[in-house]
């Protein structure tokens, strides 16, 4: 009968013979001759452990040997570990727990989103003009004096109003300067949205169209005012007197309509220049209109960029796609470093296959079976098919033979009896 | 609050080996620090207290590990695995040459006339380290299987199951070997026990 060494050891370590219970003595005496032998064995075990511990502690670390071994490790380290891989390894070492890595990734994502939010153009005040309810500042008044000096007067958002003679008193004196009335106009919200959604040319065209109309209106109103009889009142002496506050034309030289047009043309030119220097965003893409070349180009750029992002996302998704390990394996966490990914398989094959085979495989999609068995091993099943016609058997055989050398991505098994076959595919 | 940053020094052997397989030299260095001394001690005990041979074996073991860290199956326990490798190395060595049982002479301070295993022929002068020296002698006289089981059990404190895995044998065999070894050693060394 095989003695229960673990039980006897426990007793030898814990109790003297006298301290044993009757059942324990019975167990011991079934295999030992008596108290003396029990005591000898107990003494031996206790002293042996003491000796072993003392010896192990006295073992000095061989630094020379360590250096040699580490140098060999560095030499044999796979060259394929990229800079980003090393960074990933560093962080995986730093944060070995999957929950920790997830939390760190989440924190980084939040920081990136926050930075992106505040750096996006939508957060700038100018972009608020695109909203329907926004009023727009417009126009510049250009004052042009007789000497040809141009004076710009700061525009003020205001209701449409006629310039009064009173304002003329605010004009610079001494130079005979005259100025065209400052006209502001408030676009209605709907008109603003419509104009911004139009293409650049249409917008410019609209503005240009409006300017002469406005000029005409203003001109008309100017003319009307000029032609109007001056308002008079009877002063206290009974004489008629001009109310110069209401008749600006009384002391102002008449302006030719052509000069007024010139004013508005100059104004329009400045407006155009301003628009060119600060173009509106590619709203043409939103409206769907692409009459303008600039809008078209911008639309194309946006579409190409979107396509690139989508393509990149897809390729990244494929590269980092993980294949589910069976639940009974015990490795259910997708963040586990041992997860088999398409990228790992592909990279491995790229290293293993020769150049000729690689050239022939371009564009092909390879599907193959991997089997997960109860022992937690992954084995290559078979190469199923290639997407673009049939390759020579030699290439197929080479892939299969290389994949047999796939580094083991093992996982623990909870003793499940199932065998799962899962199809993987990679595209060269 | 979750501690996201776990000290690599406290990482498990299996995790460190997984990192070493990916080229993390720091992880491999920690593995070396943890096991180099233990393996060298094991080889020293298993190879007749030949210090130079033990060092060579330790170097061979870790160089192999450095060259192919991915050979370690992370689903297994690393300590069991490395001792399995070491055990196999010793077995190969035993096949190559018969390991001399190093029985020291007078420098151990023991006058001993050995006539087989007859304790009656034993005369000794007990000094301070006699027990340890005699333990060494007796261990060297053991069969390598008994010696391996004894060292793994009472030095590395491995379970019966783990020892069986290292040695490639059944648990029952390990139990009987251990019991026999402890019994025999106690008989040989009882003369050197403290009074």
């Amino acid at each position: 009968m095989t003695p229960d060494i673990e039980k006897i050891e426990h007793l030898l370590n814990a109790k003297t013979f006298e301290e044993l219970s009757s059942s324990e003595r019975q167990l011991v005496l079934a295999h030992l001759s008596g108290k003396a032998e029990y005591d000898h064995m107990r003494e031996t075990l206790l002293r042996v452990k003491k000796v072993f511990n003392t010896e192990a502690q006295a073992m000095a670390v061989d630094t020379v040997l360590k250096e040699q071994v580490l140098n060999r490790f560095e030499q044999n380290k796979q060259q394929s570990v990229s800079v980003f891989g090393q960074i990933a390894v560093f962080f995986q070492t730093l944060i070995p727990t999957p929950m920790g890595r997830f939390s760190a990734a989440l924190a980084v994502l939040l920081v990136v989103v926050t930075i992106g939010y505040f750096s996006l153009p939508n957060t700038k005040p100018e972009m608020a003009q695109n909203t329907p309810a926004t009023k727009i500042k417009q126009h510049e008044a250009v004052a042009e004096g007789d000497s040809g000096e141009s004076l710009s007067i700061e525009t003020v958002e205001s209701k449409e109003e006629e310039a009064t003679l009173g304002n003329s008193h605010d004009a610079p004196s001494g130079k005979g300067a005259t100025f065209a009335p400052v006209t502001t106009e408030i676009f209605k919200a709907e008109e603003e949205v419509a104009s911004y959604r139009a293409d650049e040319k249409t917008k410019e065209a609209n503005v240009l169209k409006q300017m002469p109309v406005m000029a005409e209106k203003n001109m008309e109103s100017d003319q009307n005012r000029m032609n109007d009889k001056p308002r008079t009142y009877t002063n206290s002496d009974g004489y008629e007197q001009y109310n110069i506050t209401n008749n600006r034309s009384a002391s102002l030289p008449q302006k030719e309509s052509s000069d007024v047009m010139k004013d508005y043309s100059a104004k329009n030119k400045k407006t155009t220049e301003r628009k060119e220097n600060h173009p509106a965003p590619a709203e043409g893409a939103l409206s769907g209109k692409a009459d303008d070349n600039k809008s078209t180009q911008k639309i194309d750029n946006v579409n190409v960029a979107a396509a690139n992002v989508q393509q990149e996302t897809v390729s990244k998704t494929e590269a980092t796609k993980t294949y589910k390990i069976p639940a009974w394996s015990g490795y259910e966490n997708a963040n586990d470093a041992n997860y088999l990914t398409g990228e790992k398989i592909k990279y491995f094959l790229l290293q293993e296959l020769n150049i000729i085979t690689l050239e022939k495989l371009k564009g092909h999609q390879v599907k193959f079976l991997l089997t997960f068995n109860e022992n937690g091993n992954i084995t290559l099943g078979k190469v199923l098919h290639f997407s673009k016609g049939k390759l020579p058997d030699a290439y197929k055989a080479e892939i299969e033979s290389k994949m047999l050398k796939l580094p083991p991505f093992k996982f623990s098994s909870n003793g499940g009896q199932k065998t799962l076959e899962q199809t993987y595919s990679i595209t060269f | 609050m979750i501690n996201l940053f776990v000290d690599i020094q406290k990482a498990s052997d299996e995790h460190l080996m997984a990192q070493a397989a990916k080229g993390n030299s720091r992880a491999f260095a920690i593995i070396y620090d943890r096991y180099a001394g233990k393996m060298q001690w094991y080889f020293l005990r298993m190879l007749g207290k030949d210090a130079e041979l033990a060092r060579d074996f330790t170097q061979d073991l870790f160089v192999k590990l450095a060259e192919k860290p991915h050979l370690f199956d992370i689903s297994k326990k690393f300590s069991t695995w490395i001792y399995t490798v070491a055990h196999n190395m010793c077995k190969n060595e035993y096949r190559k040459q018969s390991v001399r049982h190093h029985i020291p002479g007078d420098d151990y301070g023991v006058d001993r006339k050995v006539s087989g295993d007859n304790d009656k022929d034993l005369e000794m002068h007990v000094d301070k380290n006699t027990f340890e020296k005699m333990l060494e002698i007796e261990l060297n006289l053991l069969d390598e299987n008994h010696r391996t089981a004894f060292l793994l059990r009472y030095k590395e404190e491995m379970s019966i199951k783990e020892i069986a895995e290292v040695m490639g044998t059944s648990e029952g065999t390990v139990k009987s070997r251990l019991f026999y070894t402890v019994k025999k050693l106690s008989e040989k060394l009882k003369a050197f026990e403290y009074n």
Side-chain angles (χ1 to χ4, degrees):
Chain A
M1 183 178 74
T2 305
D4 188 355
I5 186 64
E6 290 172 292
K7 181 71 174 175
I8 295 174
E9 273 180 11
H10 173 72
L11 295 173
L12 287 170
N13 287 321
K15 299 178 180 180
T16 61
F17 189 83
E18 289 77 14
E19 292 170 350
L20 294 174
S21 65
S22 58
S23 59
E24 289 168 347
R25 284 190 191 186
Q26 201 173 1
L27 170 66
V28 166
L29 293 175
H31 304 285
L32 303 180
S33 59
K35 177 181 179 302
E37 188 172 24
Y38 180 89
D39 289 337
H40 291 319
M41 287 178 70
R42 174 177 160 79
E43 181 74 21
T44 301
L45 272 180
L46 293 175
R47 292 188 71 182
V48 162
K49 284 183 182 179
K50 196 175 176 182
V51 168
F52 285 168
N53 289 335
T54 305
E55 282 183 358
Q57 287 169 9
M59 283 297 258
V61 176
D62 193 333
T63 53
V64 174
L65 180 58
K66 181 179 179 180
E67 193 177 335
Q68 291 173 356
V69 169
L70 291 179
N71 286 339
R72 184 64 68 90
F73 180 84
E74 291 293 333
Q75 289 171 6
N76 287 278
K77 197 158 62 173
Q78 289 184 11
Q79 299 300 325
S80 60
V81 178
S82 64
V83 173
F84 291 107
Q86 287 176 340
I87 293 173
V89 165
F90 171 75
F91 279 107
Q92 282 185 339
T93 306
L94 198 62
I95 314 174
T97 60
M99 188 62 187
R101 287 199 293 271
F102 175 76
S103 303
L106 195 63
V108 169
L109 183 65
L110 284 173
V111 169
V112 170
V113 168
T114 305
I115 292 171
Y117 174 76
F118 286 108
S119 61
L120 278 176
N122 283 331
T123 59
K124 292 180 182 175
E126 295 77 54
M127 291 305 295
Q129 295 175 11
N130 288 333
T131 59
T134 307
K135 297 178 180 178
I136 300 175
K137 297 179 186 177
Q138 183 125 14
H139 312 297
E140 287 178 350
V142 178
E144 193 168 350
D146 291 341
S147 60
E149 286 181 343
S150 296
L151 299 170
S152 63
I153 299 175
E154 194 173 346
T155 61
V156 176
E157 182 183 18
S158 64
K159 295 180 181 178
E160 183 175 3
E161 62 184 0
E162 289 180 319
T164 61
L165 191 59
N167 289 339
S168 66
H169 288 270
D170 295 328
S173 59
K175 296 183 181 179
T178 60
F179 58 93
V182 175
T183 306
T184 60
E185 196 167 329
I186 300 171
F187 287 101
K188 293 181 181 178
E190 291 77 14
E191 289 176 359
E192 168 55 22
V193 171
S195 66
Y196 262 89
R197 286 184 176 169
D199 52 44
E200 290 291 319
K201 259 194 181 178
T202 308
K203 270 197 283 184
E204 281 185 16
N206 288 339
V207 171
L208 286 170
K209 280 179 190 174
Q210 287 165 9
M211 294 309 289
V213 171
M214 285 162 51
E216 280 185 22
K217 282 187 182 175
N218 287 330
M219 217 167 57
E220 187 180 344
S221 62
D222 286 344
Q223 288 293 345
N224 289 337
R225 281 195 289 277
M226 288 177 200
N227 293 334
D228 281 347
K229 291 181 179 179
R231 294 185 185 183
T232 61
Y233 68 97
T234 305
N235 59 13
S236 57
D237 295 335
Y239 292 100
E240 287 184 348
Q241 191 168 354
Y242 291 138
N243 183 354
I244 61 174
T245 59
N246 291 326
N247 188 354
R248 62 182 177 84
S249 62
S251 60
L252 293 176
Q254 299 251 345
K255 237 192 163 175
E256 294 293 334
S257 60
S258 59
D259 292 336
V260 175
M261 283 304 298
K262 279 182 187 175
D263 292 336
Y264 282 100
S265 295
K267 218 192 311 180
N268 181 46
K269 185 181 175 184
K270 283 201 173 186
T271 304
T272 306
E273 286 175 357
R274 188 178 67 248
K275 286 182 188 292
E276 286 177 354
N277 292 332
H278 303 283
E283 301 292 341
L286 299 176
S287 69
K289 296 181 182 179
D291 296 334
D292 182 62
N293 289 335
K294 280 188 181 177
S295 297
T296 305
Q297 188 177 8
K298 286 183 181 177
I299 291 169
D300 290 341
N301 290 339
V302 168
N303 289 338
V304 167
N308 287 339
V309 168
Q310 187 180 8
Q311 187 177 3
E312 187 181 8
T313 303
V314 169
S315 63
K316 276 187 179 175
T317 302
E318 284 182 351
T320 59
K321 182 180 177 182
T322 55
Y323 300 93
K324 190 173 180 182
I325 303 295
W328 49 261
S329 69
Y331 271 56
E332 296 179 14
N333 191 337
N335 291 325
D336 191 286
N338 296 312
Y339 245 68
L340 189 63
T341 65
E343 186 66 16
K344 285 182 183 176
I345 299 173
K346 183 175 178 178
Y347 190 85
F348 169 79
L349 288 176
L350 287 174
Q351 297 292 318
E352 293 290 325
L353 296 173
N354 61 50
I355 296 174
I356 297 174
T357 304
L358 208 56
E359 281 295 313
K360 293 292 183 182
L361 284 174
K362 269 185 182 176
H364 280 267
Q365 185 187 52
V366 181
K367 282 191 178 179
F368 49 89
L369 275 180
L370 289 183
T371 302
F372 305 88
N373 61 24
E374 61 186 11
N375 295 324
N377 293 326
I378 303 175
T379 54
L380 173 66
K382 57 180 180 180
V383 178
L384 296 178
H385 71 272
F386 299 93
S387 61
K388 282 170 63 176
K390 190 179 176 183
L391 275 183
D393 290 340
Y395 295 115
K396 184 179 174 184
E398 185 175 353
I399 293 173
E400 286 182 338
S401 69
K402 295 300 181 184
M403 289 193 69
L404 284 171
K405 297 181 185 178
L406 196 71
F409 294 95
K410 301 302 180 81
F411 55 92
S412 62
S413 170
N414 291 332
Q417 297 298 318
K418 299 177 186 175
T419 298
L420 178 71
E421 286 187 338
Q422 194 147 312
T423 304
Y424 290 63
S425 66
I426 52 176
T427 304
F428 286 87
Chain B
M1 183 178 175
I2 299 172
N3 184 13
L4 299 179
F5 298 94
V6 178
D7 189 2
I8 187 176
Q9 296 287 345
K10 299 177 183 175
S12 67
D13 297 337
E14 293 73 26
H15 175 77
L16 289 172
M17 281 306 297
Q19 294 303 314
K22 295 173 185 175
N24 189 336
S25 54
R26 188 171 169 223
F28 185 77
I30 294 172
I31 284 287
Y32 182 89
D33 291 337
R34 287 183 185 179
Y35 283 93
K38 289 182 182 183
M39 302 320 297
Q40 191 164 350
W41 184 91
Y42 177 79
F43 288 127
L44 197 66
R45 282 290 180 187
M46 293 299 292
L47 299 172
K49 273 280 187 171
D50 190 335
E52 193 176 334
L53 191 61
R55 187 183 182 279
D56 291 342
F57 269 58
T58 306
Q59 184 178 19
D60 289 344
L61 173 64
F62 280 95
V63 164
K64 281 182 190 174
L65 201 57
E67 289 175 350
K68 297 178 183 179
H70 59 273
L71 288 180
F72 167 64
D73 183 356
I74 61 169
S75 64
K76 309 285 184 192
K77 192 176 177 185
F78 178 76
S79 58
T80 308
W81 178 81
I82 197 170
Y83 274 101
T84 305
V85 174
H87 175 70
N88 292 333
M89 289 172 70
C90 293
K91 278 173 69 175
N92 293 336
E93 182 65 18
Y94 296 143
R95 287 192 197 107
K96 285 180 188 176
Q97 56 184 4
S98 58
V99 177
R100 293 186 300 111
H101 295 297
H102 183 69
I103 302 176
D106 292 343
D107 54 328
Y108 277 79
V110 177
D111 291 326
R112 179 178 178 180
K113 284 168 54 178
V114 179
S115 171
D117 293 330
N118 192 346
D119 295 334
K120 293 181 181 178
D121 297 327
L122 184 65
E123 295 179 0
M124 65 281 183
H125 295 283
V126 179
D127 68 5
K128 187 178 179 181
N129 298 322
T130 303
F131 179 85
E132 288 82 8
K133 292 166 186 171
M134 291 310 299
L135 173 63
E136 178 185 329
I137 294 169
E138 295 301 330
L139 281 175
N140 289 335
L141 290 171
L142 287 173
D143 170 69
E144 61 260 24
N145 288 326
H146 289 84
R147 195 186 322 140
T148 300
F150 186 82
L151 294 178
L152 293 179
R153 181 68 179 169
Y154 298 110
K155 172 60 179 68
E156 291 302 322
E157 297 181 346
M158 281 190 178
S159 66
I160 301 296
K161 184 182 177 183
E162 287 172 335
I163 296 172
E165 193 176 332
V166 169
M167 300 182 67
T169 186
S170 67
E171 293 183 25
T173 304
V174 172
K175 284 180 183 179
S176 62
R177 284 176 179 171
L178 280 174
F179 184 77
Y180 169 80
T181 304
V182 173
K183 197 171 180 182
K184 188 174 181 182
L185 282 177
S186 66
E187 290 173 4
K188 297 288 184 184
L189 299 173
K190 65 182 176 182
F192 306 98
E193 291 169 8
Y194 295 130
N195 292 323

